[in-house]
Amino acid sequence: MTQDMQTSNNPAVSTDIDVRQRFFIQDSPVRGDVVRLSRSYANTITQKPYPEAIKRLLGEMLTAASLLIGTVKIDGRLSIQLQSSDSNSLLNWAMAECDQNGIIRALASWKSDNDEQSQAWNSMTTANEAFSELGATGAGVLFINIQPEQGEPYQGIVERSHDNLADCLAHYQKQSAQIPTLINLASDALQAGGILVQMLPRTVEETVEVEQNQDAGIDDDLWTRLKMLTSTVKAEELTTLTASEIIYRLYNQENVVAPEPTALEFGCTCSREKCETAILQIGQDEMLDICEEQGGQFEMDCGFCGEIYRFDKDNIAEIFAH
């Protein structure tokens, strides 16, 4: 028994490729999301002269953050952070963030201080090569940070269990939330995409039905079938097809229902007010010295979006006068 996937009635939204598209397998505990990034991803990676491998890694991280925030019910932000534990690593750290409104941004720090380091980056072409700069399996640190608008922030430490980001995150979901999870990520440095599928816990009634073999509507082979189907998706499909096309190609024999997609776009939360807060933390005397050293004016720039905020001695005096 099959059912055509129900998509948005708004063509301007449903055909957009900067989206997160949720889907459900009807009458089952399976949910999933497909994320496709194009303009939003391009706007992110043009902010800095990132090496090819880091561009691709940031694409996977942005996709993953956009997928994972769909699994938590919060008003706030979810970020993924990678931190090297090896001083010789060429990748210092990287982070990607998505909020409940679909606003994404990302940033990375890497070493390219000499020709040898630059050449090393030039030889890397994949996200997994950049990911490996965290160190061997088990080294480096991965974090998932959840910052709700109301309530306490949460940080989960993701075990470096595999040599790629997708498998590490899927392992984390299964271990921490006890939810079987499939995650595929891809990025070609121009576009990025990914899919997440989860088998949610059955209700008590469903569990009893399965155990008593009286299941009239529960497909107990569904998860095995979905694992096989999801494993067939190709990286180029995740980066070139629309979300609806991906879901149809994989699951056209299943009873798939898809609600309205969520638009994703690049955005930043930087502001002059946040810069002023940082200046207050540094202190008036030190900031005046910095201003003097730089000819009476200094700049603070945002690594995420490139916005530049300028301050002079009068601005500093005004900040500390409040």
Side-chain angles (χ1 to χ4, degrees):
M1 172 175 158
T2 64
Q3 173 179 309
D4 290 339
M5 188 178 74
Q6 301 173 8
T7 56
S8 167
N9 292 323
N10 182 350
V13 174
S14 62
T15 59
D16 197 342
I17 52 177
D18 284 272
V19 298
R20 178 176 63 247
Q21 176 64 68
R22 170 147 292 189
F23 65 93
F24 302 91
I25 306 298
Q26 192 167 324
D27 300 322
S28 85
V30 172
R31 72 177 182 195
D33 288 279
V34 172
V35 163
R36 281 286 284 108
L37 303 175
S38 181
R39 292 183 301 274
S40 54
Y41 169 48
N43 288 338
T44 300
I45 61 174
T46 55
Q47 302 302 322
K48 288 183 176 295
Y50 292 114
E52 178 79 5
I54 293 182
K55 288 181 182 179
R56 294 186 179 222
L57 179 59
L58 288 178
E60 290 194 1
M61 292 176 67
L62 282 167
T63 301
S66 302
L67 288 168
L68 290 177
I69 197 169
T71 69
V72 295
K73 297 180 179 180
I74 64 162
D75 288 331
R77 304 191 304 274
L78 181 146
S79 65
I80 296 172
Q81 182 177 343
L82 310 182
Q83 182 75 49
S84 174
S85 58
D86 183 354
S87 60
N88 295 319
S89 170
L90 294 178
L91 180 67
N92 298 322
W93 54 265
M95 68 85 66
E97 179 183 88
C98 182
D99 71 12
Q100 81 276 6
N101 296 316
I103 305 300
I104 65 170
R105 63 178 188 169
L107 191 63
S109 171
W110 71 100
K111 295 184 180 74
S112 59
D113 301 328
N114 53 54
D115 289 342
E116 183 179 354
Q117 292 174 343
S118 297
Q119 289 172 6
W121 281 117
N122 290 337
S123 68
M124 300 183 201
T125 58
T126 68
N128 286 351
E129 287 175 307
F131 187 78
S132 71
E133 283 301 313
L134 291 175
T137 302
V141 184
L142 290 73
F143 300 103
I144 293 178
N145 300 300
I146 298 174
Q147 295 179 294
E149 293 181 355
Q150 303 291 332
E152 294 295 320
Y154 167 82
Q155 183 177 80
I157 300 178
V158 181
E159 182 184 353
R160 177 78 190 285
S161 54
H162 297 77
D163 60 3
N164 65 81
L165 178 63
D167 289 343
C168 288
L169 293 175
H171 178 77
Y172 172 79
Q173 288 289 306
K174 184 177 180 180
Q175 294 298 110
S176 65
Q178 303 298 308
I179 298 176
T181 302
L182 309 173
I183 299 178
N184 283 346
L185 304 170
S187 172
D188 61 9
L190 295 173
Q191 300 188 91
I195 185 169
L196 176 149
V197 186
Q198 291 187 318
M199 173 75 85
L200 301 179
R202 284 194 171 105
T203 65
V204 173
E205 292 79 8
E206 289 171 337
T207 302
V208 170
E209 280 188 289
V210 172
E211 290 176 349
Q212 295 180 350
N213 200 27
Q214 296 174 351
D215 178 17
I218 296 175
D219 183 352
D220 207 31
D221 294 324
L222 177 61
W223 186 246
T224 299
R225 192 163 66 248
L226 292 179
K227 285 172 65 176
M228 182 186 67
L229 291 170
T230 306
S231 70
T232 66
V233 68
K234 299 179 176 62
E236 56 266 30
E237 292 176 325
L238 291 174
T239 57
T240 60
L241 300 181
T242 66
S244 296
E245 287 174 319
I246 292 169
I247 295 171
Y248 181 78
R249 285 200 179 189
L250 292 176
Y251 313 122
N252 62 80
Q253 296 299 309
E254 307 296 336
N255 298 325
V256 177
V257 178
E260 291 280 346
T262 299
L264 301 171
E265 62 179 316
F266 170 75
C268 193
T269 59
C270 72
S271 67
R272 190 173 182 85
E273 289 71 24
K274 290 183 178 179
C275 290
E276 291 176 354
T277 298
I279 290 172
L280 283 169
Q281 293 174 343
I282 294 172
Q284 184 172 9
D285 291 341
E286 186 171 347
M287 290 309 307
L288 288 173
D289 289 341
I290 293 173
C291 194
E292 183 70 26
E293 290 171 1
Q294 299 189 18
Q297 179 177 278
F298 69 94
E299 298 177 347
M300 300 178 72
D301 65 296
C302 177
F304 290 100
C305 69
E307 184 72 26
I308 296 175
Y309 300 92
R310 294 180 174 86
F311 297 87
D312 58 24
K313 291 182 178 181
D314 291 338
N315 297 140
I316 296 171
E318 184 178 352
I319 292 168
F320 285 92
H322 291 164

